[in-house]
Amino acid sequence: MTNSDRPNLAEVQASCVSIPLIDLQDLYGPNRCDILIQISLACQDDGFFQVKNHGIPEAVLNNMLRLSREFFRLPETEALKNYSDDTSKANRLSTSFNVKTEPVANWRDFLRLHCYPLEDHVHEWPSNPPSFREDVAEYCTSIRGLVLRLLEAISECLGLKRDHLDKTLSKHAQHMAFNYYPPCPEPELTYGLPGHTDPNLITILLQDDVLGLQGLRNGKWITVNPLPNTFIVNVGDQMQVISNDRYKSVLHRAVVNCNKERISIPTFYCPSPEALIAPATDLIHDEHPTLYRSFTYAEYYENFWARGLATECCLDKFKI
């Protein structure tokens, strides 16, 4: 790894420079308009924001973090029952990002699961720890409810019908990952995950209290300070396309440290593979011509995995 490929942790802005925190308590109340303005500005200016009073009990969040730690502390022989380096496999344990194509591995182990429709996937999930399937299924259902509320709000923010994003996703898809970043003896030499944008529509991230997530703002990396009982929401590539670049898919990365393990649990909400993605026609006019050709999500996702993680966004391949 060359110096330019390393994290340059000394140049990262202090964690006091944070991202917008939006209170969803009144999303369906008299302050809805104010909340929509906050969401819209965050999607335009930052590409990500934090939410509180999101409707999911704190006990559910804490239980997910506990389950994740328990899974990654299982005996190796038990955990490896779930291992695969086949990126097309829906439910698998692996390491780094794509070990088949990467010249340098990242400092991360992960368990990736598909979780919508639940009944199609739960039977393939790990059965250890014993409550894993039941507890994760409950969490997935709660997160999907939060996502659908946010998609209604974001559709409205864009001046579209409330169900526009919902309908664009066709049958919908939902994936999640349990990311485990162990302590690293030389954190300045490697990443947990290098800078990338997410290929999906929207990502909801649960993380523990250990610093590690960084986002790019105005050309500088900032550390996102974890807040208890909140989620990070970030705009993905498909949202950038549908909004015709009004909203930006955020470049972000994960760094590691030498003292503490870190857990993060992102949920990736996606179009189903056959869904046709293109800028919303109501957002196209003389001053804002269409910027992207139409494509299926399957085509986009295949391109994303084939190229691996890179600073250059996969979106560039689909611009007109």
Side-chain angles (χ1 to χ4, degrees):
M1 183 180 282
T2 65
N3 285 333
S4 62
D5 294 327
R6 290 172 177 164
N8 288 325
L9 300 178
E11 295 180 5
V12 177
Q13 291 189 3
S15 59
C16 60
V17 183
S18 198
I19 63 174
L21 174 62
I22 299 176
D23 189 341
L24 298 182
Q25 180 76 51
D26 224 7
L27 183 59
Y28 292 99
N31 294 324
R32 181 176 177 84
C33 285
D34 291 341
I35 296 170
L36 293 182
I37 290 169
Q38 292 176 54
I39 291 173
S40 187
L41 287 173
C43 291
Q44 287 176 48
D45 298 340
D46 295 287
F48 61 160
F49 53 94
Q50 298 181 82
V51 293
K52 65 178 183 178
N53 291 322
H54 40 68
I56 302 177
E58 188 170 9
V60 172
L61 276 57
N62 291 336
N63 189 45
M64 287 296 292
L65 293 169
R66 177 191 62 79
L67 266 181
S68 185
R69 291 187 190 97
E70 284 186 15
F71 177 82
F72 286 107
R73 289 171 183 165
L74 288 171
E76 189 173 326
T77 52
E78 178 66 26
L80 285 177
K81 292 176 183 177
N82 305 284
Y83 183 84
S84 174
D85 60 9
D86 179 0
T87 58
S88 67
K89 196 169 186 295
N91 302 286
R92 66 191 182 100
L93 174 70
S94 194
T95 190
S96 190
F97 176 73
N98 185 351
V99 292
K100 287 183 174 180
T101 61
E102 291 166 331
V104 178
N106 301 300
W107 203 262
R108 174 184 81 135
D109 294 329
F110 67 92
L111 175 67
R112 191 171 182 95
L113 306 176
H114 283 218
C115 36
Y116 184 79
L118 273 172
E119 59 272 17
D120 291 352
H121 300 289
V122 172
H123 65 281
E124 295 182 355
W125 292 356
S127 54
N128 202 2
S131 68
F132 187 91
R133 291 179 179 178
E134 181 181 352
D135 290 351
V136 174
E138 177 191 1
Y139 177 79
C140 290
T141 301
S142 297
I143 287 290
R144 183 168 184 269
L146 172 60
V147 167
L148 295 179
R149 294 193 296 275
L150 287 170
L151 294 188
E152 272 194 0
I154 293 171
S155 292
E156 202 171 329
C157 289
L158 287 166
L160 303 170
K161 291 181 179 178
R162 274 195 185 188
D163 62 356
H164 182 92
L165 289 171
D166 183 345
K167 287 184 174 178
T168 300
L169 300 180
S170 187
K171 297 174 185 174
H172 294 220
Q174 182 179 343
H175 313 159
M176 69 184 300
F178 293 79
N179 292 323
Y180 176 71
Y181 303 99
C184 176
E186 295 183 289
E188 68 281 357
L189 298 183
T190 190
Y191 289 102
L193 277 175
H196 64 284
T197 61
D198 288 347
N200 49 291
L201 182 77
I202 191 172
T203 301
I204 311 291
L205 177 75
L206 170 64
Q207 58 178 340
D208 65 13
D209 59 356
V210 179
L211 294 174
L213 175 65
Q214 297 179 347
L216 195 67
R217 177 193 270 173
N218 300 323
K220 294 184 181 296
W221 290 104
I222 63 163
T223 299
V224 178
N225 203 7
L227 297 176
N229 199 24
T230 65
F231 291 105
I232 306 287
V233 179
N234 76 261
V235 172
D237 293 350
Q238 307 313 302
M239 188 78 78
Q240 182 166 331
V241 172
I242 294 166
S243 72
N244 206 35
D245 271 7
R246 283 166 173 78
Y247 294 166
K248 303 298 184 187
S249 184
V250 63
L251 196 66
H252 56 287
R253 67 184 188 180
V255 298
V256 290
N257 71 85
C258 57
N259 298 314
K260 292 182 177 180
E261 65 181 15
R262 177 173 175 262
I263 298 287
S264 74
I265 306 173
T267 294
F268 307 102
Y269 210 81
C270 320
S272 49
E274 78 288 351
L276 191 64
I277 306 299
T281 53
D282 288 350
L283 301 180
I284 298 167
H285 48 78
D286 290 345
E287 292 181 11
H288 293 281
T290 185
L291 298 174
Y292 299 93
R293 68 171 176 86
S294 61
F295 52 87
T296 64
Y297 186 59
E299 181 189 358
Y300 193 90
Y301 201 62
E302 286 164 11
N303 270 272
F304 176 81
W305 277 96
R307 64 186 273 289
L309 297 184
T311 301
E312 296 77 29
C313 184
C314 188
L315 281 173
D316 293 340
K317 295 188 66 174
F318 295 85
K319 285 186 175 176
I320 292 175

